[in-house]
Structure formats: structure tokens, C-alpha cells
Amino acid sequence: MLTPAITIGFVLVGLATALTLWRLAKGPTMADRILALDTLAIDAIALVVLMGLSRGISFSFEAALLIAMMGFVGTVALCKYLIGRAIIE
Amino acid sequence: MEVLVSVALGVLTATGVYLILRPTTFSVVLGLTLLSYAVNALIFFGSRLNAGAPPLSVAGLSNQTDPLPQALVLTAIVIGFGMTAYLLVVALKAKAESGTDHVDAGETR
Amino acid sequence: MMAHLPFLPVLIPLVTAVVLLIATKADIAVKRSISALSLGLLVTAAAGQVLVSDDGIVRVYRLGDWPAPYGIVLVLDRLAALMVVLTSVLAMPVFLAATSGTDERGLHFHAFLQFQLMGLNGAFLTGDLFNLFVFFEILLLASYGLLVHGGGLQRARAGIAYVVLNLSGSALFLIALGLLYGFLGTLNMADFGVALQAVKPEDQGVVAVMCALLVTVFLLKAAVLPIGFWLPHVYTAATLPVAALFVIMTKVGIYALLRVVTIGLLAAPFTAGLLQPWLTWLALGTIVLGATGMLASTSLGAVVANLVLVSGGTLLLAVAEPGAGSIAAALYYLVQTTLVTAALLLLADVLRRQRGEAEDRLVAGPRLQSTTVAGLFFLFFGVAACGAPPLSGFIGKIMVMQAMEGSAHPALIWTALIVSGFVAALVLARAASVVFWEPGAPDGTDKRDVSLVPASGLMLALGLLTASIIAVSVWAAPVASYARAAAEQMLARDAYVSAVIGDPAAVQRERRP
Amino acid sequence: MAAGLASALVLAPEVFAGTTVLWRVAWLPEWGLDFALRLDGLGLLFTILILGIGVLIVLYAAYYLPKTDDLHRFYISLLGFAGGMLGIVLAENIVLMVVFWEVTSLTSFLLIAYKYQEVEARISARMALAVTGGGGLALLAGVLLLGSVAGSFDFSVIEARAGDVRADPLYPVILILFLLGAFTKSAQFPFHFWLPHAMAAPTPVSAYLHSATMVKAGVFLLARMYPVLAGTDLWFVIVSTVGAITFVYGAYVALLKHDLKGLLAYSTVSHLGLITLLFGLNTPLAAVAAVFHIVNHAIFKASLFMAAGIIDHETGTRDMRRMGGLFYSMPRTAVLAILAAGSMAGVPLLNGFLSKEMFFTAAVAHPGFDGANLILPVVATIGGMFAVAYSVRFVWDVFFGQPPQDMPKTPHEPPGWMRLPVEILVALVLFVGFLPQFSVGPLLTVAAEAVLPGAVPEIKLAIWHGFNLPLAMTVVAFGLGVFQFTRRHKLYALQERYTWRLTSPVAFERFYRGATRVSTSVMALVDSRSLQRNLVLFFSFVLVLGVWAWWTTGRAAGWVSTLTGPLPVGEVDLASAFAFAVLLFGAVSTVVYRRNRVMAVIFMSVTGAVVSLAFLRFHAPDLALTQLSVEVVTIVLLLMCLRYLPETPVAQSTGSRRLRDGVLATAAGVGVSAMAYAMLTRPYETIAGYHMANAKPGGGGTNVVNVILVDFRGYDTLGEIVVLAMAALGLHALLSGTRMQGPPTVALAKADRYPIMLAELMRPLLPLSLAVAVYIFLRGHNLPGGGFIAGLVAAVALMLQYVAGGVDFASERLRLNYVRLLGVGLGIATLTGVASFWFGASFLTSTHGYVYPPVIDKFELASAMAFDLGVFLVVIGTVLLAMTEIAALRRGETTAPAGAPAKDRG
Amino acid sequence: MTLREWLVPQPILTLAIAALWALLAGDVSGGTLLLGLTLGLLIPVFTSQFWPGRPRTFRVGAALRLMFVVVYDIIVANVAVARIVLGNVQGIKSKFVDVPLDTDDPYVATILASIITLTPGTLSIDIDMDKRVAHIHGLDVPDQSLLIDEIKTRYEAPLKEIFGC
Amino acid sequence: MSAEALAAFLIVTGGFFVLLGSIALIRLPDIFTRLHGPTKATTLGVGAIVIASSVAGYAMTGNVSLKELSVSLFLFITAPVSAHLLAKAALKEQSKDR
Ligand code: NA
Ligand code: NA
């Protein structure tokens, strides 16, 4: 029961990722792209967790936590760059 | 799968090398980063693709992945990070001194 | 401590650097004292290594007590000891010269100097190829720090070029190491040779490529013809004491080549002849390039930088045709050329300080203050540098020439060696003529930094180097016989292998996947 | 010098007894270089010459040179030269001879440039060094070859194997190299040109080096090597031809010189040619004549130079057209000079006559020139004629002729001590001239014995040999010479019209500059100083070498099959294909968008994320975590730097360059793909089984990757954190004191600079993130994690405080000196390693065990954890130092006074 | 500063860290809790500088109540958003709305803004503490005042209760 | 409902919301409306999948592990901040374009 669910999950998240990538490529604004990148990070968390479930990869949690933290930091940095070009001042 | 991985490494290498050959410091940094992805992955795949479990020395586990390439890559990643950070700052310094971000920083010839 | 002797040349600078960082706020005098103390210890340890290693036993230091090839080992043999002692001896005058003010022109000079020594000594002592990469990175990053020390556009520009080129080289090094492990499943140098012998014919093509890549990395460091153009620019951009220290950097490339060739490539028939067909030509090309560069040089620093290029090419001749005679000659030549070119660079610093805006460029500058002393130094180092008798340069040259007599192209090699020495003599004579003899600018336009002129540290540094050069000239025989013994030890692969990994057949290997 | 002469004379009896005195100190025996000396007849003769004339020169120079000069430089160089010269003539080891040979070149260089204020002196010195030093190098090659052919560098051994040497196929090469050395040193045509310009040296130097001794080193070499190298046709052809040309040419030019020292210099060239010619004749008689003439020439030419020096010194000029009638103001000097000049011309009863007679005799008696072939006697006569002409001119123009024209000084006799050396030498001229057999006979005999391999012909040193052809030649030469002298003005006019200036110092300098220019253009051509060019070369070199290695080594197994291994190839799943597509998209977009920098950063991070996920997918969680964190920190740094880089990048490279780079990059990519495929499809044998087996029992951890990092290969990790610390230190050193401004931006409201939600939420996030960091740190040894990742997490959490609140806000609260933190971190890691010394173990030997603190369950503590703590601290220090330093670049931007010069010119 | 304030400057935080630790460690054994509490005590000491020094009142009951409300809203409203996103996106009336704030505490305002963002249909753009307004963006806002009212009663009032301001 | 079924449900629902967020990203007309999708739907979706992982872990091993919750916790704390900054960035970009 879990296996088909995971497969469906993979497909759904994979589709989401593809759509997000499309937005990333399309833009039009930089904010759009950063938003897409941020979303990609969250999609990646989903993918990692699903990968953990399907392939028995044991350390998906740590990866997920780290992607969450680091994705956030990346978004903050990119946004601050866009706002005032200075990330730390 | 082996073809896929090899081609991926090749693509990373090619894009990395191409960017390293661009005239701006920024592109060079990007290129070196891409090249380091390729390099790290290449070392990592020294343990081949069809390897087994994570390299944990736990009773009951068998057929674990070769841990050595992973350790090497970790070292390589960290060293690469230090180098990139330093290169970035050298590029900044050259910009501060010369006013341009050309890799040859205003060299006349 | 004797048990840890092989490790001390790495540990001493590391601990010193740590202390210097913790005491980062301390006065420069305190830092100099710490550095000086450490250098004293280092030279002692290095000398101890030479004395100990001269019994011909290959000593192995197992880091973490893990046996090779599984853990990292340091291997102390004659070659390693020679390189370490050379580095340490060179460090003294560089340090002394830097205390004449160079070390105050930026931050962390002494820490970088110590890290540089740690990197160099670590590279010379390690018996592990990946660890060699790590220490290459240490010595490179330290050299980056030292290169840009003092600031300025030229240094920043040279810094970019040097860093990027070396990072590309490091990437190649990693590719080679990745393939090395991927094909041979080991990282230890001795085991590398053993594993090479077991390579099946169908795998030899790719393994040879891996070896070629590895060799290229070292050729980049050694500044060989098509990939050596970086060297003069880097050396001329650095402050002169730093450039003097950098002289040993190309020798790291030569050292690594010698190691990898003698322990690795010579072990298997399909790699033994990998370099011969082309390395001699590259070496000759490098010599020609250096000689041409010398003629084109507009500063004393540039002249010496090109001399370094020439000496690199000369050393490569031995790598191209490795034998006891050629390696011994190369080792003697390496020692003396390192001391001599470093001395010339430090002397250039002395002159630069007295010549105001003319710096070390080959244009008429203000009249020098200490013509006699500086002139004698110039004469002495110049004679040694162009390989004129009776100093070490001449001895080194005749050793290399004799060793090359049996090579494939003796006439060409001899011609290159002789002509490059001739060009060096002409260029140095002209440099002396311009710097010492051409009438200077009137005193009004003289903008020399008077406070820097009586730089006792620099003079002491030059004195030390002079003494070393005299020593290797007068006691050429013991040095040369040590070099010969080192060369023979390098070529005695079996002894090395059994010292490092014991019985090669007993190494646990697992077939994967 | 006098002492040296004395000691030489002490040994002289032995030499006269026919013994060769040998003396040896080992220097570099293995490589053929020993401090081995020999004293034979030839050596003794030269020793006496060198030291004897040397003493006189020193005496002379004491009066000649102004006291204000830095005389010590002169005397040191002169003594150095004398030592070198002695070394040449006394060397048993021929490598040692080369050593001394170059010593004389070098000291000659210094002495010629003695008056370095004059540009001509400087250039002439370099020209002399170039020619004689260069010749010395050729000689070195010849010596090394000869040593290898003869099997020894000892002259005695070589002499004994002379026949083998001459029969060796390398003999012509050796001969030519030796002759190059001899001819350059002895100023033989076409290498003669340096010698006249060496006259820029003070006259004592000219007298000593450039007439009596150094230039004799070349002919000495011919003499020394005569038993080994002479006797062949090749020797005869080359040596006698070159000698003859030099003999005649030098004599002719000497006549044309108006400068006193110029005349003497070319006369020296000519006489050296004569000596060379004699050696070239391959007959014992000629060789003896040569040795004899060496002595005679040294004596009369040294005295002539000294006389010329006196004239120069006392009149202030050396131009013969400006002087005249000096006989009346300085009669004693005049008499001395006239006698010496007579010897030079070959006037009977003077020593020059004797050797010239021997020369004529040898010329006539030579078996190669019988009655039909008169070329040699004719040449000899013509040379003799010019010698007479220029000698007469010298005497006439200086001492007689027209009265002096505006000479700078009023001439008078020099001080007596200054004239004394000349007097002694002229006395010798007469002594030898009158009593040849008594004066030089024995010395000449032992010297000839040393030169001649076989029996020495009986040397008849007599003033009168009766009426014979040589005497006739002398008479003819005198007659024609005097006639020539009277017609000399015609020749001067000719000379004015066809001045051959190719060999002047100006020409040398022009030649040198030309070489410099050519080199500069060559360097400009091959070394554009451009990083891009160097990189192209590097990558091309790697490719060529790699392909070459594959091509040559893979031949045996079939080239293509070397790239494909036997392992079965796995199937591609959908997820992997998708990931591959994303990677492709990311990497290519990074290239495409490289000029829109934020975009490029974004695409690069997408690429990196795929690589991280790939690591995770292939069971490398540590790698994935590390790669991910490193990438984000890198991106933050990149963005921080981007602020200071110009918005519009520099001009794009040309299409052709992009094509070239594209081809190169593609080739590199193909190469890596090929190697990767070759690797992935091959099985391999690894040592890693040991690590798997020993991680837990030996390293105390189950995460083998981590145990490798902190234990098996902890030394690598130590190196790695050293690199990190240095990167931070390096950028600290680079940026400290540097101030930059980015492109002008709109002033931001405080709310935009420190967005309020960020600022407020980051505060609770910090402690929570630190807790996570501790968690990652502690579990690292057994499960993925460890000091490095934990350090990055903590650093990022702290960094967010900087982002949210600004540098001032965060620094105020985080009172840390990051440089010191780096030191502490490295120190802890190092101490952990050193601690094992106390247990008698090597550096970094780990220990581990369980501790049971109260309440807490068993908690495994490995010493490696302390090491990891060092890693942790270094990472934090590195990241924060980098962040704060880059951020601090803008400090002072707002407080800087208006109109302050901007550091940043972008 | 009392000893308690010095030892436990942020009791809530201490507990939060201990809880997080237990969560991460995946067990509630004595050792884990002790280590968690130790960290909970040590980390705030180290980071206390970053806090403007105000251990405030915190009503746990009210907080839990608000949490349930928010979670409920998130789930329910996400369904609503799904309908919008999958429906006719051209017909939505999105607009910017200014919500006046009753609190002058930026921390509380930030939490409110976060809740606004997390609950579907609204998004905090900015907080202006000088003008005491939150700029928000509504995905589909047929009635602006209704939205403001809902935010103030549903989220702001409980927040003020929790933090006692 | 068994734990496995709950996990399956959560995975599919989570996947749906993740996709929903991305559809919003594609379909909605401007940056401000697009911001709504990922910050809420995707965050929620990932939260569901993460919890599913916990539940599935319990279903497979019988051990309760709630540490996955910390990922959701983190996302819920940070998502508003990201949205806030993104909106500010978008505003800035608009003002610059004008
Ligand atoms: Na290098
Ligand atoms: Na780890």
C-alpha cells in the first residue's frame, strides 16, 4: 500500500519540481525566480523524504533538515541582495 | 545508468571549463565550482554505481559502499570551499585595485 | 621525541602558526621571536632528519598508528630529509629578510610563513598521494597569502592568475586521484607502484592516462614550457623575500615527479617509459624559454624568476631520464640552485630598498650606498647563478652535464645548458652594470626609504645564504655523495615498499563490486 | 705574489730535474673535479712569467693609479686574476683548469670595468666577458667530453691516452670546443675584437692581462693540449689558418690605430696570431718557437704598455696624432720604449728577434711548404713587414716627428719607481737578446719538454745563425716595413673611408639590445600574460598528454575496448533521468546566464543541489549534507561579493575565442566522460575492507566515513582545516584596510536594511539552530554529521544574526576574535593529535571508550571528538571571518567625508 | 539580576531546546533529557546577548488554543486556495490591505504576521511599527474590512493574551 | 485505519499540496499572488510527507520517531520570513522598474 503511494508521491512531487523549474527559467522577475528556487528546496525535501521511504536511505531526515535550513538561508541572501545588494551591512 | 552518470560528469566538466575560460572573475568562480562538482562526483563514483548499503560499520549490514572515496570527497569539498572563498576575495581585491573584474585586471597587453 | 622525528618538521610550524594565531594581537616583535624560535627548532629537527636518514633505512611514521596502505604514513628517507632540510635552511634567511619590514606590510605574515613550511615539509614527507594533494593545497594557499602580502594591483592581478591556474591544477589532481583510486583501489605511493604492476593489459590504456594526468599536475607546479608562463609573473609580483621562499615551490613539483616516477611509474613496464619521449623536449623548451625570458627581463626579480625557470628545466632533464647518476646530479643542482636564486632575490630586495622608485628594475637609479658589500654579494651569487666556476652552480652544471652524457640527446642538452648559462652571465653582467655602475639620478629625485636601508636582517640573511652556498661548494663531495645515496635509495623500490607496506602480497584487497 | 714566485722557485730545481710535481686535494672526485695541481716545465715558465710580471705591475700601478680611487677593488681583482691565471697553468685536473679559466674571464671583466663611470668601459667589459666567458663554456664542454673519452680528468692520464683521444670519433668535436676556448681567450680572428676594447681598462691591467698573461691563457691551452690534441691535419688546418689570419690582420690594423694602446692591442692580437700559427704548424721546432715567443712577447709588450701608460699619465693623451718629440722631454722613457719597440719589430740583439727568427725558420722548414708552396713564408714576411711598420710608427710618432699639439699636460719624466718596472723588463729584453741560451735556455727546454710529446729538438738559441732564408726574410720585412711606414697616410685615408665598426662596443651593445628586443617580442608572442591564454594552454596540454598516453599505451588492448569495462551496465530509472535533465538544465543555464549574475548563481545552485541529491541517492549522506551546506555558504559569499562587482561585466570575448573555448571545454568533457565510463564499468580491488572492519573496533565509530575522516585519515582532515583557516586568514589579510563601494544604490530605509520579521524571528532561531548543530556534532562519529557540518550549521545560524541585525549589532553581541578562534580550533585539533605522544603513540592515534556520567546512559567518547571540536571551531571562525570581512568593506562609506577619493574606480 | 535570571535567562527557550533535543534524539530517556536541559541552559547563556533582555509572560493555555486554531485554518484554507488555484485564476480579486496593529511589540507583531502568511489567502508583505500597520496581500479579497476583522479577532487578540500586552 | 494507510494517505495528500503550490506558481498572474502557493500549499504538503515518514517509520519498525516533525517546525517558522523578504524584493524590483 505504501509503495504505490510513494510512487504517486514521487510523480506528484516530480511534476511539481518540473513546474517550479519552468517558473525558474521563465521568471519574469528575479523575485519569481528566487521564489521558484525556494520552492525547489522545499520540493527537494519532499523528494528526499520520499527517497528515504522508497530506497531505505537512512539519513533522509538529516538531509531534509539541512535542506530546510540552508534553503532558507539561500532565499534570505538572494532576497536581501535584490532588496539592497548588501546582504550584511 | 553508467552512461548517464558519465555524460553528467562530462557536462559538468565541459561547462566548468568553458566558464573558467571566460574573461570575468565571476564566471571563473562559477566555472571552478561546476568543475569541482564534476571532480567530487568523479571521485565519489570510484566506488561504482551498483554498490550497496551506506558505509556504516554496523553488525548485520553487508555489501556496504566503499567509504574511502566518500572521505576523500569530503576533504576535497572542504578544501574547495576554502579555495573558492579565497578566490572570491582575491577577485574583489583585484577589482578594488584595478576597477575591473576582468581576470587580467587591466593588464595592458 | 626521536620516535616522532619524521613528523616534527610538520608539527613545529603547525604549532607555531597556532600560537601566532592565538597571539594575533601581540606585538610584531613577539611574533618574530616566536617565529625565530620555531625556525631554530625546525632547522634542528631537519638536520636531525638528515643525520638519521643517512643510515639508508627508510623510516615510516604511521599517523594514528594505522598501517600503510590503509592509514597515512610519513616516509623519511634521504630524499625527504634533503628536501626538508633545504626548505628549513631557506626559511631562515627568508624570515630574516622579512623582518626588515616586509612582515609589517600586511597581516599574518609569520603565520603564513609557518603554514607554508608546514605544507612544504608535509608534502616532502608524506607517503600518501591524497595526503600529498592536501599538503599541496596547504602550501598553495599559504603561498597565495604570501604572494598578495603587501597589497597592490600587480599582486592582486598575479594573485588571480596564480590562484585560478592552481585551482585548475588542483581539480586535475583530484581527477587523477579519483581515477587512481577508481582503477587501483589505493592511495599510498608505495602501494601505487605495487598496484601498477598488477594492472592487466586491457586496463593499461586508461591507467596510463591517469598517470599522465598526475604527471601534468606536477609539471604545472614545476613550471614546464607550455604551462609554466605563470612563474615569472608570480615571482615578480610577490615581495622579494616571498619570491625567495617561492623558489622552493617549483622544486616541490620536481620532487613530486621524482617520487611518483621512481616509486610508481618505473615499477611497471607500461608506465616506465611514459615520460621519456617528450619530457626532455619540454625540459629543453623550458630552458630556452627561461633564457629568452631572462633576456627580455626588465627587472632583477624577473631575471631571477626566469633563472628559476631554467633551473626547473634543467632538473626536469633528470626526471626525463631517471637513473642514479642523473637524479644525484639533479638533487645537488636542486639544492644549490634553490639557495642561489633565493639569495639573488633577497639581494634584489636589498638593492630595491636603496634605489627608490627605480626599485629592482634594470634602469639607472640612485647611487647605491653599500656598493662594495652589495657588489660582492652580487658577484658571488651571480657567479653561482650562471653556473660559472668555482661555485656550486658550476659544480651542479658539470654534474648534470656528465649525467646527461648517456641520454638520448646529449649534444642538445649540453648546448642548452651551456647557452642558458651564457645568457645568464650576459644578463647578470648587464644587470650589475646598470645597477651598480650606471650613474644615478641626482640626489634631489632620490625617494629611497632611508629608514629601510640598514636592514640588518637582510644582510644577515644574505650572509647565511652565502655561507650555505660556500658550504655546498666546498663540501660538494659529501653533498653529492648524499645525493647519490638518495638517488640510489629512490631507485631501490623494493626496500621502500617493504619498509612502507611490508609484504605487498599481505595487503588486504577486496574485489569490488 | 713575490712569495708565490719564491715558492715556485723553490720547486724549480725538481722541475729542471725533469720531475712533474703533483699535488692533490679531493674536491668532488666522483664527478671528476679535484683540486689537483701539477708543476711541469710549461707551468713553471708561465708561473715565473705571471708572478714576475705581476710583481712589476703592482709596483707600477702603485704610482700609476690615482690614490683617490677605490684601489682595494683593483688589487683584489688583480690578485684574484693572478690566482686564476696561476690555477690555469698549474691545473692537473682539466676541469679545475676551466674553473680558473673562468676566474680570469670574470676578473678581467671587473678590471676592464674599473673605470665604470665611462660607458665604454662598462660595455667593453661585458663584451670581453661575453667572448672569453663564452669561449670558456665551450672549453668546459670540450673538457667534459675529453674527460669522458679519456676516462679521466687528470691531465697526466689524458696525456698518456692521447692516441686514443685522437682516434676517437668525438675528437673533432673536442678539438673545436678546445679551440673555441683558446681562440676567444687569445683574441684570435674572428674573436679578436674584444681585446682592443679591453684597453678601456687602466694601463697596468692592459699590460698585465691583455698582453702578458690572460691572453696567453689561450695559447697556453694550445701548448698544454699540444701533446693530446695536436698532430692531426684538422689541428693543422684550423690552428695555423686562424693563427695566420690573425697574425697578418692584427698587424695591419695595428698600423692604422692612432691610439697608443690601440696600436699595442692590435699588435698583441697579431703576436698571439703568430704564436697560434706556430702551434698550428705541428712541428716541434715551431712549438718551441711558440713557447719562446710567448716569453718574449710578454716581456717586451708589458714594458711597452707600461711605457705607454707613462706617456698617457704624463701627457694626458694617448692619441699619437697629438704627440711627438717626446724624446726630448722624457728621454729615459723614450729609450726604454724604443728598445722594447725594437724587440717587437724583431730588431737583432733584442729578444723579439730571436723568436721571430725561429718563426721564420719554422715557416721555411715546414714540410708542408716546400719550395713550390711559398704561402707560409710569404705570410710570415708580410706579417713581419707590418710589425716593423707599426713599431716604427710608434717610435716615430711618439718620440720624434712633429712637435706636440695641444697636449693636456706638459710632459716630463715619471717618478723613478714608476719607471723601474719598465727598466727591469727592458733589461730582460736585452739580457735575453744578448745571452739567450744562458738566460732562458734551461727554462725553455723544460717547457718544451712539457709541450712536445716526443723528443725535444735541440734548441739552438743563438743570435747568429748565418746568412739564410730567414735572415733574408727579416731583411725584406724591414725594408718593406719602413717603406710601408712612410706611406702610412694613404692607408689611414683608406681606413677612414671603410671603417669596419661591426666589432665595436657600440655594436656589441646594439647586438645585445637587439637580442633583448627579439626576446621581448618572442616573450610577448608566447606569453601574453593573460590568464585565459595560460588556462587554454593548460587544458590543451592536459588533453594532448592524456590522449597521447591513451593512444600509445592502449594500443595493445585495442583503443576503444580500453574504455569499456566488463561490468554489466545498470538500467536508467525515471528519477535518475529526471535528475540528469535538471542537472543538464542547471549547468547549461549557468553558462548561458553567466552575464546575469544572480541568475547564474541560482542555476549553479540548482546544479549543485542535484549533485547533492545524487550523493544521497548513492548512499553518501555525509557528502550530501556537506555539499549542501558548503554550497549555500558559498552562494552567500558569492552574493556578498557580487555587490562590489560591476553590474555590467567586461566586454564579451569574440566569437572565435568562444568557439575555441567551446571546443576545448567539450573535449575536456568528453575526456572526463570517457575516463568515468571506463572506471564505472570496471571492477577494482580496494583496501577499503580494512577500514570497514576496523572502524568500530579500532576507531570507535560506526560511521566509517567519519572514522576515516577523524581517525584513519585524520591527518588529511587536519590539513583540510588548516586550508580553511588559511583561506580565512588570507582574505582577512587581503581585505583589511581595503574599502570598496558597490555601484551606487538607492539609500535604503532601515526597515529594508533590517527587515523586521527577519530580525525578530532570527533570535529564537539561533539557539534552536545551535542545538541542532550540537546534535549533528555529537552523532557524527557513529552516524552522518560531525564537526564540519555542525560548524557550518552553527556558523550559518550566527551569520543570520549578522544578516538580520547588521554587523554592528551582531559583533557587539558576539564578542569573538575570529582569528583567535581559528587558532583555538586548530590548537585543539593539534593538541588532540599531540596528546597521543604521552601514550607513546604516533600523532593522532585515537583512543575511545564509554563514560558513564550520572543519570546519562552510556555515552561513547572518542578522542576523535576533541579533534572534531577543533574542526567545528575552525569552520565557524572561517565562515564568520569571511562574512564580516567582506561586509566590512563598505564600512566608512557613509561616514567618509564628502568628496573623499573613492578607492573603487569601477 | 537574580541568580535565577542569570542561570535561566530564558526559561521558555530552555524548555524549547530541551524539547527539540528530545525530538531530535528520538527518545525521552534520562540521559537525553539531561543533555537537552544542559544545552537548554548553556545555549541561552551564550546567545542571551542577542535577546533584548525581556523574559516575558507567556500563557501556555492560550498559546495552545491559538495553535489549534492556526493549524485548523491552515488545513481548511489550503483547500480553499486549491479551489482558487485550480479554478479560474483570472477572476480572483487580489489586493494589498493594511491591517492596523494594536500591539507595539515588534516580536508579537512578527508572530502575527507569520500567522497571516501561513494561513492561506493572506500574506504579510511588511510590518511598519512606526505607523503600527501590517501590509498584507490577499489572494482573493472580496471584502477588505471582513478580512481585517477576522485577523484581529482570530489571531491578534489571542496573541495579546498569550504575551500579556 | 492502519499506520501504513495513514502514511499512504499523508504521502498522496502531501504530494498533492506540493503540486498545488507549484501549479499556483505557474498559473497565478503576478509575483504577489504566486507567493501564496509555495509558502502555504507546498509547506503544508511537505509537512504532510514528513509526518508520513514518521508514521511509515512506526509502521515498519514499531519505533515512534517524531524528529521529522522538526523539519516541519523549521519550515513553518521560516516560510513567513521567506515570503516577507520575497515580497519586499518584488516590491523593490517593481519600484526600480518604474
Ligand atoms: Na604552482
Ligand atoms: Na562526519
Side-chain angles (χ1 to χ4, degrees), chain A residues 1-6 8-10 12-13 15-17 19-20 22-23 27-36 38-39 42-43 45-46 49-50 53 60-62 64-65 68-70 72 75-80 82-85, chain F residues 2 4-5 7-9 11-12 15-16 18-19 21-28 30-31 34-35 38-39 42-43 46 49-50 52-53 56-57 60 67-71 74-75 78-79 81-82 85-86 88-90 92-93 96-97:
Chain A
M1 188 171 193
L2 209 49
T3 315
I6 290 170
I8 295 170
F10 260 124
L12 291 173
V13 177
L15 263 175
T17 310
L19 293 177
T20 314
W22 186 82
R23 177 55 74 198
T29 66
M30 275 318 291
D32 278 304
R33 296 182 204 268
I34 301 173
L35 175 61
D38 189 57
T39 312
I42 305 177
D43 291 348
I45 296 174
V49 173
L50 289 174
L53 284 172
S60 53
F61 157 68
E62 284 77 8
L65 186 61
M69 292 181 89
M70 295 298 164
F72 170 67
T75 305
V76 168
L78 282 165
C79 287
K80 278 219 75 177
L82 221 58
I83 294 169
R85 304 234 331 166
Chain F
S2 73
E4 201 184 329
F9 171 74
I11 287 170
V12 174
F16 169 73
V18 169
L19 182 57
S22 292
I23 292 174
L25 204 57
I26 293 299
R27 292 200 74 204
L28 293 174
D30 61 61
I31 172 71
R34 277 176 216 142
L35 263 175
T39 35
T42 309
T43 308
V46 170
I49 291 177
V50 161
S53 162
M60 285 186 283
K67 62 182 175 183
E68 280 85 351
L69 282 180
S70 58
V71 176
F74 191 88
L75 284 180
T78 57
V81 182
S82 305
L85 286 171
L86 279 163
K88 270 176 120 48
K92 197 89 207 168
E93 227 180 348
K96 216 193 287 175
D97 290 347

Side-chain angles (χ1 to χ4, degrees), chain D residues 5 21 71 73 78 133 184 238 342 354 357 392 398 428 464 504 517 519 536 573 581 715-716 721 726 786 789 826:
Chain D
L5 187 58
V21 183
L71 280 172
R73 193 157 60 86
L78 198 72
T184 49
I238 298 175
L354 297 170
E357 283 286 294
V392 173
V398 174
L428 280 173
W464 183 247
S504 69
R517 232 181 350 261
S519 303
V536 166
D573 57 285
Y715 187 55
D716 275 349
I721 60 173
M726 264 198 290
I789 302 171
L826 280 183

Side-chain angles (χ1 to χ4, degrees), chain B residues 22 48 57 95 97 101, chain D residues 597 661 682 702 904-905:
Chain B
R22 296 304 90 219
R48 310 299 190 262
S57 169
K95 164 67 176 59
E97 297 281 353
D101 62 343
Chain D
R597 293 167 163 178
D661 295 348
R682 275 181 167 73
T702 51
D904 176 31
R905 279 165 280 149

Side-chain angles (χ1 to χ4, degrees), chain C residues 89-102:
Chain C
V89 165
L90 182 66
M92 291 281 241
V94 167
F95 164 78
L96 285 171
T99 58
S100 294
T102 304

Side-chain angles (χ1 to χ4, degrees), chain C residues 140 162 166 221 230:
Chain C
L140 282 176
Y162 182 60
N166 272 309
K221 312 290 171 192
W230 59 269

